[in-house]
């Protein structure tokens, strides 16, 4: 079947055309129009500006996705769209567009949860991933650990009790003076530190772990974030400057990143042990972090658990992942109609999904 998918939950307007057959995905087009340069002026996403930018981009992005795919619109068998969670104004742009498209083509409309979309990105390049498995989603807005027992059954067994992991990267990055969003620049600074460490340098910064000190699989990034920000302010005060020298930035980035990867690794090892999972998926924007990818791969290797992480392009927000999640929702009989709404949080969307009448459609 051919799925046209749309994603607009935050600051990327994305559309893709994907051919899905028997759990294999062929990406026919993958268009992402990023608003990062616009929001970088403000040091973070400005919701009103985001919705307007989605309105301006959506038609062109959709048209490019169809043109580049080489299919005719009439070949589309279903339209999948992110309907939750995210910025409500941003989500509404994609949902309205997708509703109109599905209705004009007279094809099913499939509502997709953004976080489950991030996880489904792994299916595209790792078709061997099949439930049951564990999935950690680390993004700018979410940090959640799921036990995925069925294609459409995600049991949340842990997550952040406060800030999302990516939020910590971005806020620390901002105080350090890195361009928004700070994650990618922090990745490079930390790599510089780890190179020094390999030569024997010891880090003089120590930060509190984001792994909550109990039996849960929960994280807390706010204490870590505050400790790192305080350390940055202290260093600035000591030097009476607003601009930290590069060697201090590198050392702090290294200590922060190591604390994050150790904390996540610790909870994942415990979750693998407790659930007996034989596969772990790492997904979401922060899954692009080279140090986190390596650390989680090592945990999986030690526990003899298969590890799947999307390529860098599919870690950030995109519509290919929405098509992949939409495919399994479609097979599970999940359909929306023209009353589909957007939901900023998971609570409203979970009630909506529960209200849908599922039938199994495995005939395609
Ligand atoms: O999944 P995503 O594109 O958007 C949300 O759904 O939130 O994630 C964006 C987040 C940002 O916080 C960004 O700083 C972070 O992913 N990120 C990274 C890296 N690349 C992107 N964080 C750490 N290291 C990276 N290399
Ligand atoms: Zn995302």
């Amino acid at each position: 079947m051919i799925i046209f998918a749309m994603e607009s939950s935050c600051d990327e307007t994305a559309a893709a055309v994907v051919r899905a057959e028997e759990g294999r995905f062929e990406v026919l087009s993958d268009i992402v129009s990023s608003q990062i340069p616009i929001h970088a002026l403000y040091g973070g996403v400005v919701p009103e500006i985001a919705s307007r930018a989605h309105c301006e981009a959506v038609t062109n992005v959709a048209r490019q996705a169809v043109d580049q795919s080489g299919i005719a619109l009439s070949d589309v068998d279903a339209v999948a769209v992110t309907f939750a969670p995210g910025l409500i104004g941003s989500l509404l742009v994609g949902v309205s567009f997708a509703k109109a498209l599905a209705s004009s083509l007279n094809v099913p409309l499939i509502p997709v949860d953004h976080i489950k979309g991030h996880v489904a990105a792994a299916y595209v390049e790792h078709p061997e991933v099949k439930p049951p498995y564990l999935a950690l989603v680390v993004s700018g807005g979410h940090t959640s650990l799921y036990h995925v027992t069925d294609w459409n059954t995600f049991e949340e067994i842990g997550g952040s009790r406060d800030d999302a992991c990516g939020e910590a990267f971005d806020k620390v990055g901002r105080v350090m003076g890195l361009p928004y969003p700070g994650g990618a620049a922090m990745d490079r600074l930390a790599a510089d530190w780890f190179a020094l460490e390999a030569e024997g340098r010891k880090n003089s910064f120590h930060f509190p772990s984001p792994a909550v000190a109990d039996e849960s699989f929960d994280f807390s990034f706010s204490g870590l974030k505050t400790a790192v920000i305080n350390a940055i302010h202290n260093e600035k005060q000591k030097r009476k400057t607003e601009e930290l020298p590069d060697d201090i930035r590198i050392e702090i980035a290294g200590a922060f990143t190591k604390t994050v990867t150790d904390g996540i690794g610790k909870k994942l090892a415990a979750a693998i042990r407790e659930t007996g999972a034989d596969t772990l998926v790492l997904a979401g924007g922060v899954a692009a972090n080279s140090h986190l990818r390596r650390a989680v791969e090592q945990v999986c290797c030690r526990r003899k658990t298969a590890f799947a992480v999307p390529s860098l392009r599919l870690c950030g927000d995109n519509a290919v992942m929405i098509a992949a999640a939409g495919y399994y929702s479609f097979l599970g009989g999940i359909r929306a109609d023209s009353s589909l709404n957007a939901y900023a949080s998971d609570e409203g969307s979970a009630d909506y999904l529960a209200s849908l009448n599922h039938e199994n459609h495995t005939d395609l």
Side-chain angles (χ1 to χ4, degrees):
M1 67 182 295
I2 291 188
I3 301 176
F4 173 93
M6 177 129 262
E7 154 64 39
S8 70
S9 65
C10 189
D11 57 352
E12 259 97 30
T13 319
V17 177
V18 173
R19 190 193 305 277
E21 297 305 341
E22 294 175 1
R24 304 258 156 187
F25 299 92
E26 185 188 353
V27 179
L28 302 179
S29 64
D30 171 17
I31 308 297
V32 179
S33 165
S34 177
Q35 305 172 6
I36 284 179
I38 307 173
H39 299 294
L41 297 173
Y42 307 95
V45 178
V46 183
E48 281 302 314
I49 296 177
S51 343
R52 201 167 317 156
H54 283 301
C55 286
E56 285 164 9
V58 71
T59 312
N60 270 338
V61 166
R63 189 172 289 138
Q64 275 185 52
V66 174
D67 288 350
Q68 286 191 16
S69 70
I71 59 141
L73 258 185
S74 54
D75 297 330
V76 169
D77 296 305
V79 173
V81 64
T82 306
F83 80 116
L87 299 172
I88 194 70
S90 294
L91 285 164
L92 276 170
V93 177
V95 166
S96 310
F97 189 94
K99 278 207 276 197
L101 183 64
S103 149
S104 69
L105 297 174
N106 197 22
V107 297
L109 174 66
I110 311 164
V112 175
D113 179 288
H114 180 77
I115 310 303
K116 291 166 192 154
H118 272 302
V119 175
Y123 304 149
V124 178
E125 294 151 327
H126 299 274
E128 72 282 3
V129 172
K130 290 187 172 54
Y133 63 83
L134 278 178
L136 177 71
V137 179
V138 270
S139 75
H142 292 84
T143 301
S144 300
L145 180 62
Y146 297 100
H147 192 204
V148 182
T149 51
D150 189 1
W151 295 111
N152 295 306
T153 312
F154 284 59
E155 189 197 337
E156 191 165 358
I157 61 170
S160 178
R161 294 185 183 171
D162 39 55
D163 295 352
C165 183
E167 207 176 327
F169 271 94
D170 294 342
K171 294 214 169 119
V172 167
R174 181 151 72 175
V175 181
M176 255 192 200
L178 304 180
Y180 169 84
M186 191 80 74
D187 196 338
R188 290 189 289 275
L189 288 182
D192 289 347
W193 172 258
F194 295 131
L196 293 174
E197 215 169 44
E199 292 167 6
R201 280 275 300 274
K202 292 269 173 280
N203 204 309
S204 50
F205 294 94
H206 300 279
F207 300 124
S209 171
V212 172
D214 62 15
E215 296 299 297
S216 75
F217 303 125
D218 285 347
F219 301 96
S220 164
F221 286 94
S222 87
L224 166 63
K225 176 194 73 183
T226 307
V228 182
I229 290 175
N230 285 344
I232 296 170
H233 286 318
N234 286 342
E235 293 300 319
K236 284 180 180 174
Q237 269 172 4
K238 252 199 270 175
R239 292 173 171 73
K240 301 198 180 1
T241 170
E242 263 311 295
E243 191 128 329
L244 277 187
D246 280 348
D247 58 332
I248 298 293
R249 292 209 299 188
I250 287 169
E251 192 170 349
I252 292 177
F256 168 64
T257 303
K258 179 89 171 53
T259 309
V260 170
T261 57
D262 282 356
I264 289 179
K266 188 172 161 196
K267 288 291 181 186
L268 288 183
I272 293 171
R273 213 169 32 237
E274 186 160 317
T275 59
D278 62 7
T279 303
L280 186 136
V281 169
L282 177 67
V286 185
N289 188 278
S290 58
H291 315 290
L292 183 62
R293 292 166 87 90
R294 206 170 315 119
V296 176
E297 187 172 16
Q298 282 166 2
V299 167
C300 289
C301 195
R302 278 199 294 276
R303 305 244 149 236
K304 304 208 172 9
T305 299
F307 174 57
V309 61
S311 57
L312 295 193
R313 176 161 180 91
L314 293 186
C315 284
D317 290 348
N318 66 85
V320 172
M321 67 187 201
I322 302 305
Y327 170 71
Y328 286 108
S329 297
F330 179 84
L331 294 185
I334 298 170
R335 308 277 189 282
D337 60 21
S338 58
S339 68
L340 177 66
N341 206 346
Y343 299 87
S345 74
D346 281 331
E347 285 99 62
S349 65
D351 288 348
Y352 172 76
L353 284 179
S355 76
L356 294 177
N357 204 4
H358 300 184
E359 283 168 38
N360 276 322
H361 292 262
T362 44
D363 46 327
L364 272 169

